[in-house]
Amino acid sequence: MSIVGRAVAVKTPATTANLGPGFDTLGLALSIYDELEVTAVAEPGVIVEVHGVGEGEVPTDETNLVARSIAHVFADQGQPLPGLRLVARNGIPHGRGMGSSGAAIVAGVMAAKGLLEGVVDLDSRTLLRLATELEGHPDNVAPALFGGLTIAWTSDDGPEFKKLSVHRGVSPLVAVPEQITMSTALARSLQPQSVPHQDAIFNVSRSALLIAALIQSPELLHAATEDRLHQSYRASAMPETDALIRVLRENGLAAVVSGAGPSILVLGSDPAQRLVAAELLERHASTTWRPLMLAVDFRGATVGSLPVAAVA
């Protein structure tokens, strides 16, 4: 069956991973999005048109991460790759700890799912496996795929996830620095190979508490977001992030590094806490930070068919 002429639209949420103590395990989908339109064409090759974040910066050929992700799925499923025309409208900041690379991978995987509909069936387990193969770990791609709060882990059978609903009182704010970025690879290189036993026990307790806080008891978020496994080791690479988190936490707010940073995630126990956080950031930041008052995205990535004329 030829898929030439098929066109799909994909919408993928931003994510924030770790959430403090849940290093490489917990992730949350957020209501800021990348949107993608993909058409399968007869002419070989890949052409990518980028609008918004990354315009003029990211590759516009087959080396584009979204295009590589589509190709990965087709190769895994033993399907011939058609020519591809992509139009990306990106809203997720790059290099800021909001899962932009994970979102690009998920967008490509979901686009491939839509293009291959009726040819092969890609279930949730397969989608997670393919996205994790490209990303390297599932903590960002799981919430981008499935929405909500996700617990991700790896078993002998591959990556796994559990999606949970978040208490309606939980109110996220992400503070994004205008001029500062952080490489995930650099952030990971600052991690020690081992940590003290007491620190491991500390984080196990806080991670368990964090699940309860997010789904049932938001008033526990401040205590539940304490961490000893990764943030302190990375602080020297993000001094302003570290200083602002200290200010926010001293004022009773559940502030943590968003993903690899340098953005800051504040998990408010009610919407009013976000206003307090924004005011503190404005007062104490020495550079420009943009406070994004977001909702938890419960749907995850979506894909739907388009008439070819809509994206021609």
Side-chain angles (χ1 to χ4, degrees):
M1 179 189 296
S2 173
I3 66 167
V4 170
R6 287 191 177 184
V8 297
V10 180
K11 186 176 182 179
T12 311
T15 57
T16 180
N18 303 326
L19 313 184
F23 184 61
D24 275 4
T25 302
L26 299 181
L28 193 65
L30 299 171
S31 62
I32 184 168
Y33 302 92
D34 285 351
E35 297 186 20
L36 175 72
E37 296 169 353
V38 182
T39 307
V41 298
E43 184 180 348
V46 177
I47 298 175
V48 184
E49 184 181 317
V50 179
H51 304 277
V53 179
E55 184 174 353
E57 299 172 1
V58 301
T60 55
D61 57 13
E62 68 278 356
T63 65
N64 180 278
L65 183 54
V66 177
R68 288 193 283 120
S69 301
I70 296 172
H72 180 72
V73 176
F74 273 74
D76 180 85
Q77 298 296 309
Q79 298 297 318
L81 184 69
L84 298 171
R85 302 295 178 264
L86 283 68
V87 179
R89 296 179 176 87
N90 298 334
I92 302 172
H94 287 182
R96 302 299 203 279
M98 295 186 70
S100 60
S101 64
I105 288 166
V106 166
V109 169
M110 291 296 287
K113 172 183 170 66
L115 292 172
L116 290 169
E117 185 176 357
V119 180
V120 295
D121 178 35
L122 299 173
D123 60 16
S124 60
R125 188 181 188 88
T126 303
L127 293 171
L128 182 61
R129 173 181 63 80
L130 290 165
T132 302
E133 286 170 358
L134 290 157
E135 177 76 344
H137 43 88
D139 57 330
N140 274 118
V141 295
L145 278 167
F146 308 116
L149 168 67
T150 58
I151 307 170
W153 70 98
T154 303
S155 71
D156 291 341
D157 296 322
E160 312 269 5
F161 80 100
K162 174 63 179 177
K163 176 181 175 180
L164 299 171
S165 295
V166 178
H167 190 283
R168 63 186 180 185
V170 175
S171 303
L173 175 147
V174 179
V176 182
E178 293 288 349
Q179 287 117 0
I180 311 167
T181 61
M182 171 58 68
S183 156
T184 300
L186 172 59
R188 287 187 173 274
S189 73
L190 301 173
Q191 293 293 124
Q193 292 298 308
S194 60
V195 297
H197 187 257
Q198 286 300 317
D199 288 354
I201 294 172
F202 182 94
N203 268 61
V204 168
S205 71
R206 296 311 189 274
S207 294
L209 181 62
L210 182 54
I211 298 298
L214 285 168
I215 68 175
Q216 182 177 321
S217 305
E219 70 276 6
L220 297 174
L221 280 167
H222 186 264
T225 48
E226 293 178 306
D227 161 69
R228 292 183 184 174
L229 279 190
H230 66 104
Q231 293 181 112
S232 61
Y233 297 108
R234 299 173 172 182
S236 61
M238 302 178 279
E240 187 166 19
T241 296
D242 181 58
L244 290 172
I245 286 175
R246 290 177 185 274
V247 168
L248 291 164
R249 294 194 67 85
E250 286 167 1
N251 282 272
L253 297 168
V256 297
V257 177
S258 179
S263 294
I264 296 169
L265 169 68
V266 178
L267 291 169
S269 58
D270 62 67
Q273 286 199 338
R274 299 192 298 192
L275 300 176
V276 175
E279 191 274 330
L280 286 168
L281 287 162
E282 184 176 7
R283 194 190 321 160
H284 292 278
S286 58
T287 60
T288 303
W289 290 65
R290 182 163 52 110
L292 303 177
M293 299 194 187
L294 305 173
V296 176
D297 174 277
F298 291 103
R299 294 187 67 187
T302 59
V303 60
S305 297
L306 285 175
V308 176
V311 292

